[in-house]
Amino acid sequence: MKKFILFLIIIAILGGGIWYYFFYMKAEQHELFALVPEETVYVIETNDLTRGWNALSNGKIWNHLKKTEVFAEYNDMFNSVDSVIRDNAILEKMLKGRQLLICAHMISKNDYDFLYVVNIDNAGKASFMSDVAGLCD
């Protein structure tokens, strides 16, 4: 019986140590730009997506550029992304105050696509996950 209790204590200590390691130890940090492929056409960086988009979309340069067909398409796309983020509290919480890179890549001779890189830093920690879970109630 004593061996069984000792075995349970050892398992509990090991389990607690593993849980602590995964939830509270600082994860290895990566420079976000190191994740961006070399053949990127351009990168937009912001720490506040909504504020950054508002600053860009209200600027004189953007108002001039969106008169062209290509940038009008970008404008519509960015407006829809902005409204999705504003309407989704969980997504807004995950992106607020986090470094975000939006990278454009050519995927064929005449077509492009985007890569979104977000620094989720402490998204795996228990406090962040409980905050997000509280938004689901």
Side-chain angles (χ1 to χ4, degrees):
M1 184 69 175
K2 287 183 180 183
K3 287 183 181 182
F4 181 72
I5 293 173
L6 181 62
F7 176 75
L8 286 178
I9 291 171
I10 291 172
I11 294 296
I13 291 171
L14 286 174
I18 291 170
W19 181 81
Y20 178 82
Y21 176 78
F22 282 110
F23 284 104
Y24 292 104
M25 295 301 289
K26 188 97 171 138
E28 181 181 340
Q29 296 294 311
H30 295 283
E31 174 63 35
L32 286 189
F33 280 98
L35 303 173
V36 175
E38 289 182 22
E39 59 275 353
T40 299
V41 177
Y42 66 84
V43 177
I44 298 172
E45 178 187 20
T46 182
N47 286 324
D48 187 340
L49 183 60
T50 303
R51 195 176 88 216
W53 170 242
N54 288 338
L56 177 66
S57 65
N58 293 326
K60 290 179 183 179
I61 294 173
W62 187 257
N63 286 325
H64 177 72
L65 288 174
K66 72 180 180 182
K67 293 176 185 173
T68 66
E69 185 179 328
V70 172
F71 283 97
E73 194 176 306
Y74 281 129
N75 189 56
D76 293 340
M77 180 190 64
F78 287 138
N79 281 332
S80 64
V81 168
D82 187 47
S83 65
V84 165
I85 291 171
R86 262 192 257 133
D87 294 342
N88 187 327
I90 294 172
L91 191 56
E92 185 175 10
K93 173 105 175 149
M94 286 183 70
L95 295 176
K96 188 173 184 147
R98 297 184 188 281
Q99 183 182 16
L100 169 70
L101 305 178
I102 302 171
C103 313
H105 302 274
M106 296 303 296
I107 56 173
S108 70
K109 183 178 178 182
N110 298 319
D111 199 13
Y112 61 91
D113 208 346
F114 294 96
L115 170 67
Y116 302 91
V117 183
V118 179
N119 183 357
I120 57 172
D121 194 29
N122 63 352
K125 292 188 178 178
S127 63
F128 177 82
M129 295 309 284
S130 65
D131 290 346
V132 170
L135 294 171
C136 298
D137 293 339

